[in-house]
Amino acid sequence: MFAAYVTITIVGSVFTAIAAGTYLIGHDYPKAQLDMKRLPHSWMPRLGTLLAAGSLGLQAGFAVPVLGNLAAAGLVLYFIGALIAHLRVGSRQLVGWAIFFATSVAALVVNLGHHGPW
């Protein structure tokens, strides 16, 4: 269980850190996603900051387990919100979302399985 916990947590943290970086540097892909979802570009730094906080929280969970649990739960909620934004505009391009969501759910499951809720 420990190996799965470490591996999934690191993979989830790296995925969300990369996504956060693209939002924070103003890459074209997040801009296109926001346009497709009819959201303002002013949300980019906020969304990037949420992703970065989730990524750092997953890493902090190695030292303070409750932070890892909270970060993983926050990322699951973030990606549920992303799904709602996709469905609101009728987008069926959900492969990227599914990968990030599955990784976040897996991180939450292994964090809770390894440490318990508190």
Side-chain angles (χ1 to χ4, degrees):
M1 179 68 178
F2 180 73
Y5 159 67
V6 170
T7 303
I8 292 171
T9 301
I10 290 173
V11 167
S13 179
V14 169
F15 278 9
T16 55
I18 291 169
T22 62
Y23 275 86
L24 293 173
I25 66 170
H27 192 270
D28 289 337
Y29 181 74
K31 289 179 185 176
Q33 288 293 306
L34 289 173
D35 290 341
M36 182 261 302
K37 295 171 192 151
R38 296 192 289 263
L39 297 172
H41 285 209
S42 62
W43 285 25
M44 278 183 64
R46 294 178 193 130
L47 295 173
T49 302
L50 288 173
L51 288 168
S55 177
L56 291 173
L58 287 176
Q59 292 295 313
F62 288 122
V64 183
V66 72
L67 290 179
N69 292 346
L70 291 172
L75 287 170
V76 168
L77 292 175
Y78 176 94
F79 289 112
I80 289 172
L83 175 65
I84 291 168
H86 273 276
L87 296 178
R88 183 179 61 89
V89 296
S91 171
R92 299 293 184 253
Q93 301 171 351
L94 299 174
V95 174
W97 170 84
I99 292 168
F100 280 98
F101 182 71
T103 306
S104 298
V105 168
L108 179 59
V109 168
V110 297
N111 267 279
L112 290 174
H114 186 70
H115 297 294
W118 307 110

